[in-house]
Amino acid sequence: MPLSLLRFWSAPLLMNRNFLWLLFIVNALGTVYGYVWYGNQLADTWANHPMWRIVFVPDSPTGSLFFTAALLFLLFPARRQGGLYVALRSVIEALAVATSLKYGIWAVAMIFAGAAQGDQLVWQDWMLVVSHLGMALEGLLYVRFMAFGRSALLVATGWMLLNDAVDYRYEVYPWLPSVLTDDIAAIARFTIGLSVCSALIVALALIQRKHRRET
């Protein structure tokens, strides 16, 4: 691998405070934009569904929100880490990595699935492709610097599967291109499978992280 690429993956760059602040700002702005993008669906859900379902509507913004919070743990590590702090940090970090990977891939897949069936791609779609691929990548890049383990990953996996169940049971999944409305059953299966695959990929990353720390 070229030296320039090795530097991109290196801990000194990824854990540089200026770089972490840049990622924090980008993720925070992306989270705000994501919730704004979901605005009409949030309003529709609020008007036509029980209030509790609104939590399950914005998928990608919630994933980037978790990652934004996880970056704060890296920027401001606590000197004293009690049990509650460790548990909270672990769950947030596991959710940050797993949901960033899942929804990063999911959004790109839906955009190109729509395009394959005739949906016209515009510049916003390409912006979403780049930003969501970035979500997936940053999740995998930062696993090795995070503190969560298998128990927190199980919690994150349970959350993703619960989100899938609510989305497709009560039809609060993200609004899709109109050409995909006849593919909802297949999309539901794909989404659940992606939750499982994302959890497995993160589990493998944890194994690799442990191996690195032991060598």
Side-chain angles (χ1 to χ4, degrees):
M1 183 180 291
L3 183 60
S4 59
L5 288 180
L6 286 174
R7 287 174 180 167
F8 176 77
W9 300 90
S10 68
L13 172 63
L14 295 176
M15 292 299 289
N16 178 274
R17 287 189 65 83
N18 291 332
F19 191 75
L20 287 172
W21 273 117
L22 176 62
L23 275 183
F24 175 84
I25 293 170
V26 169
N27 278 274
L29 291 175
T31 299
V32 172
Y33 174 83
Y35 282 115
V36 171
W37 189 87
Y38 270 93
N40 289 335
Q41 186 174 359
L42 287 168
D44 179 77
T45 303
W46 183 271
N48 298 296
H49 292 262
M51 188 186 307
W52 63 268
R53 293 180 192 170
I54 203 167
V55 177
F56 299 92
V57 172
D59 292 338
S60 293
T62 302
S64 62
L65 177 63
F66 287 134
F67 198 86
T68 303
L71 288 171
L72 289 176
F73 289 115
L74 298 178
L75 284 164
F76 304 104
R79 294 183 179 180
R80 296 182 179 180
Q81 300 185 9
L84 181 60
Y85 172 88
V86 171
L88 179 64
R89 174 177 178 173
S90 296
V91 170
I92 289 176
E93 288 182 340
L95 285 165
V97 173
T99 58
S100 291
L101 178 60
K102 173 190 173 180
Y103 294 120
I105 295 172
W106 186 91
V108 174
M110 292 304 105
I111 289 170
F112 286 121
Q117 296 194 37
D119 191 46
Q120 184 178 359
L121 297 185
V122 296
W123 71 267
Q124 291 97 330
D125 294 310
W126 293 109
M127 180 269 291
L128 290 172
V129 167
V130 172
S131 61
H132 282 82
L133 288 177
M135 281 181 62
L137 179 62
E138 68 183 3
L140 291 177
L141 284 176
Y142 278 89
V143 170
R144 57 181 161 143
F145 306 115
M146 294 185 177
F148 73 93
R150 290 174 294 179
S151 297
L153 179 57
L154 284 175
V155 173
T157 304
W159 167 259
M160 291 191 297
L161 292 173
L162 174 62
N163 200 120
D164 297 341
V166 173
D167 274 1
Y168 295 96
R169 171 65 177 82
Y170 299 108
E171 298 184 349
V172 291
Y173 49 81
W175 286 349
L176 296 162
S178 58
V179 295
L180 296 179
T181 53
D182 58 344
D183 299 313
I184 299 303
I187 291 172
R189 291 192 294 270
F190 170 76
T191 305
I192 294 168
L194 188 56
S195 292
V196 175
C197 288
S198 297
L200 290 175
I201 291 171
V202 177
L204 290 174
L206 292 181
I207 293 172
Q208 185 180 34
R209 184 188 69 182
K210 181 179 179 182
H211 176 72
R212 285 180 177 176
R213 291 176 177 176
E214 291 175 349
T215 56

